[in-house]
Amino acid sequence: MGDIDAGIGPRRRLLRALFGALALSACAAPAPRYDNSPSLLVTALAAPALPRSPAKDPFALRDPLPDSPIVLEPDTFDATLLTAPLLAGSLKVASVPPPPASCAAWTRRKPSTPPACSSAEEGRSALDWALEPRANTDTSDERLASLETCKGLEPGLIRALRTDLAAAECGDELALPLLHKRPSGLRAPIFHALLGLSIAARVVRLASSTAPRASLDELANLALAMPRSYGRALALAGVAAARIRAEVDPDKLATAASLAAVVAMGAEGIGESPRVEPALFRLSVQSGWLSEIDALRLPPSPASPRGPSPKRPVVAGVPVCPHCYDDRRRALTLTERFAEELPPFFAAYLLTPEEAASPVALRPWARKHSLPTRARAALARARLSAEAVRLVAHARLGLGIRFLDRRDVDAAASLLAAEPAAQQSEESRLLLALALALHGGPVNASAWTEQAPRDDSFDHSALDVVAKSANADLAALAAYDREILSGLESGPRAGDLRALDARLADLTTALRGGKHPTFLWERQRALNLLREQQRRQSGYQADAMVRLTRWPEVQPSGGEWHSSSGVIFIAIRAGNVNRTLRRLGYRFEPCFKKAATATEPPESLLLEFIIARDGTSTQAVAKSEPAGATELEACVAREAEGLLFPQPDGGSWSVRARLRAR
């Protein structure tokens, strides 16, 4: 200590002695009382040190939106619906085409012999028997038809299920006979489902006819007048499909109908339904960035534990042949078989509240990104296990992404953030990270369709943490989702391929040398195409002017896209066409500069072209707005010929892009 004291100056030794004396006096005597105007020395000694602001927790949720209300249908339906034109026979749509001949396969079905079906328990077993795959020639619809008189099942339920599973244009032929002769005990949810399916069938057939738009409008108004229900969502989905198909409807009507259908189906918690796919596809064509959001991927929900294969089932007292049933299916419980195989609305309708709130049912629904309203009501009254909470969060997040509703996203984040960090699984942390990133995005589907959000709308900090996880699969998923959200930029930075390459470096490393899901392989292939374009096309500058005023519209140049899953993987379509056009914008700059020196340039320019199967652009046409800038039009069209784009899937692509000319 002496050496230390010798090394300090006399002023510091004086202050040390002063502070030591103050400390000794404090120990020896009571603490002094200070008046209201203490000396500066006392004030400096008494003032506490300012606390440092704590570092932001990347996994903390701030200001979540309130959850959407649970609205259950009453048991009785509104009697005024019985006077609706469709049911009263006063609908002014005499020109509705008749159902196609293929509908006879459902409407003239000869049912097979049903099993015993007098109690509720026997009714559920009989439905399970009807869903059982068979090696013989009868179909599941034949077996379902034989259950329509089953006293153990609710009146109309099997007919509604058959109608939902049948072709969309056949729905009224199946549903209306039952609505005109309503069985005793027909409850509102089934009534609404049958009515909605009838409306959907009529509007779909109307769209392919020469009937005036007023006929379609009449049915659309009936759909809108229905109370909130699964049936209303089905009707609105049919109206959207019809608006999209009908040539007499302007684009705004088709887009508005698609938005209404998406919102209605999302409100019912039905994330997996082929009937709403046309509406989702329409919105993705109009607003290409929605295709990118649909490309986000969640970690797989856990599979149910498999029990031993049971003995051969017995139906009507007779053992089923050993090759006529699926051992894997029979290893599941009845609850999970219903949740796996039935449309989510009907599965939730048949299960008890206890079954609907159990992980056994929640696992399949999480995989389907669904949580039916009846299941949500059961969950609100149940005491949930930690596994059930995670599955509910998984389903809600999937719904929020599917239908662009931040209330679902925030509900998932709230459930996951409430779990102690020490108890969180790695999958839960990835779900939470993705929910927190989307928390900063648009609030609902309407806001999502207005304009592409910028990258800085989303907080990627939690995803960045998970991307460094020791679990290689989850780290790759986090990096993949991070890259998808980063690709949503619509400002000048969207054309910066160097920044894109930097963001993708970690993802490429994570995928190298291991197995990964198909969607990751597809994404990597698309990104490799972008890098190849940069190497083959010189002149790119990251800070070049970006003249695109919005995302380009990308749609099939002829026919429709098809895929086995019913959902088009378009992450390598609209998103990369947008980025390619932004990156190649420098090619048009000489045209605009020459036009600016010659005459007053137009406000904007509409550029249209086709991306052929080899990825090259052809048939380019430019139209100035206002018209008249012929030299500029010819120059831009000439430069647009032969540009290299990602090779299109399923056929050539038609592109419409609007450029700022000033």
Side-chain angles (χ1 to χ4, degrees), residues 188-204:
I190 302 302
F191 174 87
H192 292 149
L194 290 166
L195 179 57
L197 290 163
S198 300
I199 295 172
R202 290 287 178 92
V203 295
V204 166

Side-chain angles (χ1 to χ4, degrees), residues 64-86:
L65 291 178
D67 200 358
S68 55
I70 300 174
V71 180
L72 284 176
E73 299 172 72
D75 284 342
T76 57
F77 51 85
D78 189 348
T80 59
L81 288 174
L82 299 177
T83 62
L86 182 62

Side-chain angles (χ1 to χ4, degrees), residues 4 9 31 46 58 109 119 146 168 183 196 210 243 257 335 349 454 517 581 605:
I4 296 177
R109 179 74 66 199
S119 65
S146 68
T210 58
R243 295 281 194 207
T335 299
Y349 201 81
R454 296 179 61 91
L581 272 176
L605 198 77

Side-chain angles (χ1 to χ4, degrees), residues 116-333:
C117 190
S118 58
S119 65
E121 183 178 356
E122 288 180 341
R124 299 205 325 166
S125 297
L127 177 56
D128 183 44
W129 163 82
L131 297 174
E132 184 81 66
R134 297 289 197 279
N136 49 19
T137 57
D138 64 336
T139 65
S140 60
D141 188 67
E142 287 177 320
R143 297 189 293 276
L144 286 171
S146 68
L147 300 183
E148 290 200 10
T149 58
C150 172
K151 295 181 180 179
L153 294 170
E154 190 172 308
L157 185 144
I158 295 298
R159 179 65 64 91
L161 174 59
R162 291 184 60 213
T163 308
D164 199 359
L165 296 175
E169 60 270 17
C170 304
D172 57 333
E173 291 294 295
L174 277 165
L176 283 179
L178 198 70
L179 291 177
H180 287 142
K181 295 183 179 179
R182 293 176 297 282
S184 176
L186 181 65
R187 297 171 67 195
I190 302 302
F191 174 87
H192 292 149
L194 290 166
L195 179 57
L197 290 163
S198 300
I199 295 172
R202 290 287 178 92
V203 295
V204 166
R205 296 209 304 273
L206 264 176
S208 60
S209 71
T210 58
R213 201 181 74 196
S215 300
L216 202 156
D217 291 345
E218 191 174 359
L219 284 166
N221 290 334
L222 176 56
L224 289 170
M226 291 180 64
R228 174 173 163 175
S229 59
Y230 178 57
R232 182 176 185 269
L234 291 170
L236 291 175
V239 170
R243 295 281 194 207
I244 295 166
R245 190 180 301 182
E247 296 182 356
V248 296
D249 275 335
D251 287 347
K252 288 184 178 179
L253 275 177
T255 301
S258 299
L259 192 58
V262 166
V263 171
M265 196 67 77
E268 297 306 311
I270 310 299
E272 186 179 274
S273 172
R275 292 179 178 269
V276 79
E277 291 300 333
L280 287 166
F281 180 72
R282 171 68 183 201
L283 294 179
S284 72
V285 168
Q286 294 293 103
S287 307
W289 52 92
L290 302 185
S291 306
E292 298 283 84
I293 286 297
D294 194 49
L296 289 171
R297 288 297 182 271
L298 278 61
S301 62
S304 298
R306 303 295 181 196
S309 297
K311 296 179 180 178
R312 283 188 291 161
V314 174
V315 175
V318 180
V320 177
C321 69
H323 303 295
C324 297
Y325 73 101
D326 184 354
D327 280 352
R328 176 188 175 278
R329 180 181 185 271
R330 282 288 164 180
L332 305 176
T333 64

Side-chain angles (χ1 to χ4, degrees), residues 471-533:
N471 186 319
D473 292 336
L474 293 181
L477 272 178
Y480 169 84
D481 287 338
R482 167 72 159 88
E483 186 273 322
I484 291 292
L485 293 175
S486 298
L488 287 171
E489 300 170 71
S490 59
R493 289 183 298 156
D496 190 346
L497 187 61
R498 290 179 300 183
L500 180 63
D501 275 337
R503 292 197 299 263
L504 296 172
D506 291 341
L507 175 59
T508 304
T509 301
L511 297 177
R512 186 178 297 140
K515 294 183 178 180
H516 48 271
T518 301
F519 67 85
L520 287 176
W521 180 86
E522 291 281 356
R523 190 69 179 183
Q524 190 180 29
R525 174 177 174 270
L527 298 170
N528 288 338
L529 281 172
L530 286 178
R531 282 188 281 272
E532 179 65 23
Q533 290 167 36

Side-chain angles (χ1 to χ4, degrees), residues 303-581:
S304 298
R306 303 295 181 196
S309 297
K311 296 179 180 178
R312 283 188 291 161
V314 174
V315 175
V318 180
V320 177
C321 69
H323 303 295
C324 297
Y325 73 101
D326 184 354
D327 280 352
R328 176 188 175 278
R329 180 181 185 271
R330 282 288 164 180
L332 305 176
T333 64
L334 177 67
T335 299
E336 187 165 10
R337 290 200 294 271
F338 278 0
E340 284 267 15
E341 299 167 4
L342 289 172
F345 167 80
F346 291 97
Y349 201 81
L350 283 160
L351 296 177
T352 66
E354 292 75 20
E355 290 170 332
S358 68
V360 175
L362 291 172
R363 290 187 197 106
W365 285 334
R367 285 193 291 275
K368 296 180 179 182
H369 304 316
S370 297
L371 194 65
T373 303
R374 296 178 74 89
R376 275 192 65 194
L379 289 163
R381 299 189 297 267
R383 178 176 294 179
L384 302 181
S385 64
E387 181 188 7
V389 171
R390 295 188 191 112
L391 290 168
V392 171
H394 194 290
R396 294 295 298 272
L397 181 56
L399 272 171
I401 294 173
R402 181 75 163 150
F403 295 114
L404 309 168
D405 191 337
R406 212 176 80 193
R407 294 178 301 178
D408 280 313
V409 171
D410 285 2
S414 298
L415 289 170
L416 294 166
E419 187 176 21
Q423 300 176 15
Q424 283 183 345
S425 65
E426 292 182 307
E427 289 80 4
S428 294
R429 283 174 65 80
L430 175 53
L431 290 172
L432 177 56
L434 182 54
L436 291 171
L438 292 169
H439 172 69
V443 174
N444 52 34
S446 296
W448 272 101
T449 56
E450 288 176 1
Q451 61 181 352
R454 296 179 61 91
D455 172 40
D456 52 18
S457 301
F458 308 102
D459 183 355
H460 306 132
S461 55
L463 279 175
D464 290 338
V465 173
V466 181
K468 298 174 183 177
S469 167
N471 186 319
D473 292 336
L474 293 181
L477 272 178
Y480 169 84
D481 287 338
R482 167 72 159 88
E483 186 273 322
I484 291 292
L485 293 175
S486 298
L488 287 171
E489 300 170 71
S490 59
R493 289 183 298 156
D496 190 346
L497 187 61
R498 290 179 300 183
L500 180 63
D501 275 337
R503 292 197 299 263
L504 296 172
D506 291 341
L507 175 59
T508 304
T509 301
L511 297 177
R512 186 178 297 140
K515 294 183 178 180
H516 48 271
T518 301
F519 67 85
L520 287 176
W521 180 86
E522 291 281 356
R523 190 69 179 183
Q524 190 180 29
R525 174 177 174 270
L527 298 170
N528 288 338
L529 281 172
L530 286 178
R531 282 188 281 272
E532 179 65 23
Q533 290 167 36
Q534 185 190 32
R535 288 192 291 268
R536 292 174 60 178
Q537 296 176 332
S538 61
Y540 165 70
Q541 296 177 355
D543 56 353
M545 179 183 293
V546 177
R547 290 190 178 269
L548 278 179
T549 59
R550 56 167 294 169
W551 274 49
E553 296 179 14
V554 183
Q555 48 192 316
S557 58
E560 298 180 355
W561 277 295
H562 300 279
S563 77
S564 58
S565 65
V567 181
I568 310 301
F569 183 78
I570 39 188
I572 62 172
R573 176 162 45 98
N576 283 349
V577 169
N578 170 65
R579 283 187 283 272
T580 302
L581 272 176

